[in-house]
Amino acid sequence: MKIELSRTAKNWQAKARAYADEYLQPHEVEAELNQGVLAEGVAERNKKRAVELGFSAIDVPKKYGGLELPMVEQVAIWEQMGRVTNALSWCFSEPQSWMFEACSKEQIDDYVLPMMRGERKDCYAITESGPGSDVAALEATAERDGDDYLLNGEKWYVTSANLADYFWFQARLPDEDDEALFLVDMSTPGIEMIANPLFSHTYAAHHPTYRFENVRVPASKRVGKPGDGMAYTHSWFRHERLMIGARCCGAAARLIEEATEFAANRIVGGEPLSEKQAIQFMLADCATELWAARLMTYEAAQASDRGENLKAVHNRCSMVKLYVSEAANRIADRAVQIFGGRGYMRENVAERFFRELRVDRIWEGTSEIQRLIIARNLLKRGLDDM
Ligand SMILES: Cc1cc2nc3c(=O)[nH]c(=O)nc-3n(C[C@H](O)[C@H](O)[C@H](O)COP(=O)(O)OP(=O)(O)OC[C@H]3O[C@@H](n4cnc5c(N)ncnc54)[C@H](O)[C@@H]3O)c2cc1C
């Protein structure tokens, strides 16, 4: 099942596949059985190699020493990383291009570029307990106090915060009737981790809850200019939703390959399981849905590379997130069924993906929220402009 890609995209795809196969995949079961944590030095080695290969610089503008790859090539890379369970591909941080538009020179030097070099790690704090999916109703505040801001609020599910050294913190500005993003060092007084719940997957990156109480940050830590509001968080959503699509395509491909191989070798009633039509139908549905998922994901990336209207691109990223995450979950469910009892063992890739892919229907906006975005686009802009 091939998507027509340029020579450079194929090269990146091959590089990412080799990295995923050689550096990440062999450590999946070890991670699963050790709360996501690998033997000493392995994650550091994997990060170093990822940075050497350029993966942390793919969305960084060339003028900042990055590779500035087209979205299609970035998707080709993240699709291959998506083949690996236990979020082992999160061993390196990756700045996104909007950060270079949003941030001051000082912020780029102190926070964004060190991520590209593998020296710093970020986490993104938007979600709160009350507003939940309704990110326009955030309650955390940033109040001006002389040359500083005082940040207050509680942020839930802050992915990777246990490994990160700074937050992107989204808050309301009561004095300006606006919203803004702040860069906040983890060590700033007034920040407290108040819960660190366990989740279905087994990742080294946790999703703790943080309380911010009168956290004082200089005004220079505010990102962007007055009026920017949630614009950069929307840029973050677009990027993440597209890359969730890419990773789900990779996961689905791996699941289909492994389930097909198992079905061809498992003898049931004197013949391979793959001879049973019930199994063939499941595999056929998986392959067909993956084909649709890949076409959508790559076309949305191409639309972004063509510089199409931002609202249309935003809408398509929502469609990709909705369709591809839901399809990947159906594919994981069928893969578990094909493996039978073996598919329920934690050492089996289908079992791990069955748990891991579930959250792709929840984070970065649930499937219901993506449907709301898509429906609003349809009603406002019409089918031709979506
Ligand atoms: C493992 C994990 C990691 C996460 N990482 C991060 C992170 O790093 N940073 C961060 O900021 N957030 C993070 N999140 C939060 C995630 O984005 C939210 O969980 C998600 O947006 C849903 O919000 P909620 O959990 O409050 O659900 P709720 O908003 O309470 O929704 C509950 C249910 O109601 C539905 N619903 C809500 N509103 C509507 C509506 N208007 N119409 C129809 N249905 C609706 C939802 O779709 C859902 O099914 C993470 C979550 C998880 C589980």
Side-chain angles (χ1 to χ4, degrees):
M1 181 187 293
K2 289 218 162 57
I3 298 264
E4 196 52 42
L5 292 176
S6 68
R7 195 173 47 79
T8 41
K10 279 187 197 149
N11 285 344
W12 278 111
Q13 187 182 49
K15 216 187 267 191
R17 176 60 177 272
Y19 173 75
D21 284 354
E22 194 183 331
Y23 284 80
L24 307 180
Q25 203 168 303
H27 296 284
E28 289 176 335
V29 176
E30 176 193 347
E32 183 58 37
L33 302 180
N34 292 288
Q35 292 82 46
V37 180
L38 301 181
E40 209 184 320
V42 177
E44 200 50 40
R45 178 205 65 170
N46 292 351
K47 174 168 98 173
K48 188 167 169 281
R49 185 65 186 141
V51 172
E52 277 167 10
L53 288 167
F55 297 142
S56 62
I58 59 179
D59 203 30
V60 176
K62 285 188 179 146
K63 74 179 225 197
Y64 291 100
L67 296 165
E68 204 176 326
L69 296 190
M71 272 314 197
V72 166
E73 295 180 19
Q74 297 190 38
V75 161
I77 290 169
W78 278 107
E79 184 182 17
Q80 297 308 313
M81 304 282 194
R83 294 175 60 88
V84 180
T85 64
N86 301 84
L88 294 179
S89 61
W90 294 0
C91 59
F92 63 97
S93 298
E94 191 207 336
Q96 297 181 5
S97 60
W98 62 265
M99 294 174 183
F100 297 88
E101 291 160 29
C103 292
S104 65
K105 182 178 179 319
E106 185 191 345
Q107 291 167 348
I108 290 172
D109 288 344
D110 292 350
Y111 293 92
V112 184
L113 287 175
M115 277 205 286
M116 178 179 82
R117 297 193 295 265
E119 295 161 3
R120 295 201 76 170
K121 188 167 180 66
D122 65 346
C123 58
Y124 215 107
I126 314 169
T127 307
E128 297 169 9
S129 161
S133 296
D134 187 5
V135 288
L138 292 184
E139 290 163 359
T141 54
E143 284 179 273
R144 191 74 194 227
D145 185 36
D147 290 339
D148 302 327
Y149 281 94
L150 285 179
L151 309 183
N152 281 285
E154 198 176 290
K155 295 291 183 180
W156 280 42
Y157 315 105
V158 190
T159 293
S160 296
N162 60 318
L163 306 173
D165 61 5
Y166 71 93
F167 296 90
W168 300 90
F169 180 89
Q170 184 78 50
R172 229 162 31 81
L173 303 170
D175 309 330
E176 293 180 38
D177 193 22
D178 197 0
E179 283 146 51
L181 202 52
F182 289 84
L183 287 159
V184 189
D185 291 306
M186 194 67 77
S187 56
T188 315
I191 301 175
E192 189 191 355
M193 185 202 282
I194 55 171
N196 193 10
L198 292 174
F199 289 81
S200 298
H201 53 221
T202 317
Y203 288 4
H206 299 170
H207 317 283
T209 310
Y210 280 86
R211 183 180 296 134
F212 284 62
E213 205 168 330
N214 291 325
V215 175
R216 184 174 288 279
V217 294
S220 60
K221 303 286 177 184
R222 177 174 169 179
V223 174
K225 51 186 189 319
D228 283 341
M230 296 280 287
Y232 297 118
T233 288
H234 285 142
S235 303
W236 165 271
F237 282 149
R238 261 192 308 283
H239 189 100
E240 288 298 310
R241 287 169 188 167
L242 186 59
M243 295 309 160
I244 284 174
R247 289 198 298 270
C248 283
C249 285
R254 169 120 181 256
L255 285 162
I256 296 169
E257 285 161 15
E258 300 238 6
T260 306
E261 193 190 338
F262 174 78
N265 292 305
R266 168 92 171 119
I267 305 298
V268 174
E271 64 174 2
L273 190 58
S274 55
E275 291 301 311
K276 311 284 180 196
Q277 203 179 50
I279 301 294
Q280 291 178 355
F281 281 12
M282 282 199 264
L283 290 172
D285 284 346
C286 288
T288 306
E289 288 184 79
L290 175 57
W291 178 232
R294 294 190 80 210
L295 288 173
M296 275 180 87
T297 307
Y298 278 95
E299 169 51 32
Q302 273 165 8
S304 173
D305 290 337
R306 288 192 298 265
E308 283 195 24
N309 177 294
L310 198 60
K311 286 204 162 90
V313 172
H314 194 88
N315 173 68
R316 286 183 215 172
C317 290
S318 284
M319 287 175 152
V320 166
K321 161 81 162 64
L322 170 63
Y323 180 80
V324 184
S325 69
E326 299 265 340
N329 274 263
R330 288 191 294 273
I331 291 168
D333 183 72
R334 294 186 198 111
V336 169
Q337 200 65 17
I338 291 169
F339 276 108
R342 292 167 176 83
Y344 202 59
M345 294 178 181
R346 284 171 63 184
E347 65 193 48
N348 185 301
V349 66
E351 191 279 341
R352 295 194 300 279
F353 269 136
F354 181 74
R355 277 180 291 120
E356 293 182 11
L357 290 168
R358 188 63 183 83
V359 79
D360 287 315
R361 292 165 57 193
I362 296 173
W363 58 16
E364 306 301 347
T366 63
S367 289
E368 290 70 36
I369 296 304
Q370 306 311 324
R371 287 189 178 96
L372 288 177
I373 294 169
I374 297 161
R376 279 184 201 136
N377 263 278
L378 175 64
L379 296 169
K380 254 199 218 157
R381 301 156 49 77
L383 202 49
D384 286 346
D385 275 333
M386 286 178 80

